[in-house]
Amino acid sequence: MGGKAVATGKDRQKQLAREHYERQMQRRLEREQKSRRTAIIGSTVGVVVVVGGIVAAIAFMSGGDTPTDAAATPTAAPQDTASAAAATGPKPYDAATGTCDYAADKTGGQVKDVGMPPKKVKTKPAKKTMTFETTRGDIVIELDNAKAPCTTNSLEHLAEKNYYDGSKCHRLGSEQFPMLQCGDPFAKADGKSQDGAGGPGYVMAEENLEGATYKRGVMAMAKTQAPGSTGSQFFLVFGDINLPAQYTPVGTITKGLDILDKVNKAGVVADAGDGTGAPKQSVEIKDVTIAGKS
């Protein structure tokens, strides 16, 4: 006698369990999108894209504006999900007027309001020196002012306003994703807090992306999937990372790579589930100065 197959009790239990699991993962994703706002997950052959902090059975989380490869082996990458801009987004540097466009961040993350940077900027000197005085020693960056003038101008503004003072680098990547992420002024970096949601209340367009690579010694800015979502968070690369050219490379580390290597060697407090976590050796930024040089 023909007819529709009837599910057994075991089959029904499996179906209900699967549906329950899917609901759990969806709720977790929604919670992470609202709270943690910190990361992107990459892979050796591509980058998996999912905003937030969720990984594991559903395809390892992500968050940058990147191609998707859910089948690839995941590694961890940085992101500033506190800095999502509207679709229109801030405009890039206008060479004709020498101005930058900084737009209000509408995402509702935690804001340390120090006002907007000045719109008028100069591309000379071509290089500027940024020094992070940290509890582990000085980390010095040669900023590429000529190629990333709006980003450099923003960093100068934040340094002058003592925005970074007292902040902790909150995210350390694994050997597969060797970077230290900093720039959230509210980060506790204790392995328990939902760090990465803090920003300055404004965003800007990405710069210097043509041919951009993220190799050992690069300082680049974190962002979300949306173009024009660069804020205050940044990542310092102490190895080579395979990322698409979507994160502003703003400078080169000229001193302090040994500090990053030591912090990396000490590991993380607890893996957040994506191969990253708060560093066991805390790195607190005590002061930031930027000086021009010819």
Side-chain angles (χ1 to χ4, degrees):
M1 173 174 179
K4 293 183 179 179
V6 178
T8 66
K10 278 188 178 180
D11 289 338
R12 181 57 178 160
Q13 286 177 349
K14 288 179 181 179
Q15 180 182 352
L16 291 172
R18 182 170 62 252
E19 291 174 353
H20 177 67
Y21 173 76
E22 289 172 351
R23 287 195 299 271
Q24 279 185 320
M25 297 307 290
Q26 180 60 33
R27 286 195 294 268
R28 184 180 175 188
L29 174 59
E30 290 170 356
R31 287 197 305 271
E32 293 288 351
Q33 287 174 329
K34 290 179 181 178
S35 61
R36 181 155 185 238
R37 303 185 173 194
T38 54
I40 84 171
I41 287 295
S43 76
T44 54
V45 294
V47 175
V48 180
V49 180
V50 180
V51 176
I54 176 170
V55 289
I58 293 185
F60 293 88
M61 73 168 183
S62 163
D65 198 6
T66 53
T68 301
D69 187 352
T73 302
T75 57
Q79 179 191 354
D80 182 354
T81 48
S83 304
T88 51
K91 297 178 179 62
Y93 172 69
D94 186 339
T97 61
T99 58
C100 296
D101 184 26
Y102 301 103
D105 185 350
K106 303 293 187 180
T107 58
Q110 286 184 291
V111 172
K112 181 176 179 177
D113 188 0
V114 291
M116 292 274 193
K119 288 184 175 292
K120 193 76 173 179
V121 303
K122 295 179 180 179
T123 56
K124 293 182 179 179
K127 305 291 182 183
K128 294 190 176 185
T129 300
M130 183 176 198
T131 302
F132 291 101
E133 182 187 342
T134 81
T135 49
R136 300 287 167 187
D138 288 355
I139 299 174
V140 181
I141 315 292
E142 183 180 73
L143 298 175
D144 196 337
N145 185 43
K147 293 182 179 179
C150 297
T151 310
T152 300
N153 183 59
S154 171
L155 291 171
E156 285 191 281
H157 172 72
L158 296 174
E160 288 170 359
K161 299 296 183 178
N162 300 319
Y163 174 88
Y164 291 116
D165 295 9
S167 66
K168 293 181 177 179
C169 296
H170 61 278
R171 195 158 180 257
L172 178 69
S174 64
E175 290 183 6
Q176 292 176 307
F177 207 91
M179 63 87 209
L180 180 67
Q181 186 171 343
C182 318
D184 173 0
F186 302 102
K188 294 184 173 135
D190 56 7
K192 301 176 183 178
S193 307
Q194 300 299 323
D195 294 337
Y202 66 83
V203 289
M204 72 198 89
E206 287 68 54
E207 302 180 287
N208 194 26
L209 299 183
E210 185 175 355
T213 57
Y214 307 91
K215 298 187 179 299
R216 178 175 170 85
V218 167
M219 172 181 170
M221 304 303 294
K223 65 183 286 292
T224 69
Q225 291 184 21
S229 59
T230 295
S232 64
Q233 293 186 39
F234 59 90
F235 56 104
L236 304 172
V237 183
F238 50 86
D240 294 347
I241 305 176
N242 181 25
L243 278 177
Q246 296 167 357
Y247 308 86
T248 300
V250 68
T252 303
I253 302 169
T254 59
K255 179 184 177 182
L257 275 170
D258 58 327
I259 295 172
L260 301 179
D261 290 337
K262 289 175 184 176
V263 171
N264 173 52
K265 188 174 181 180
V268 298
V269 174
D271 192 320
D274 62 355
T276 73
K280 280 185 180 178
Q281 285 195 356
S282 176
V283 180
E284 180 178 333
I285 297 173
K286 297 163 65 178
D287 187 43
V288 182
T289 55
I290 297 180
K293 71 175 187 178
S294 56

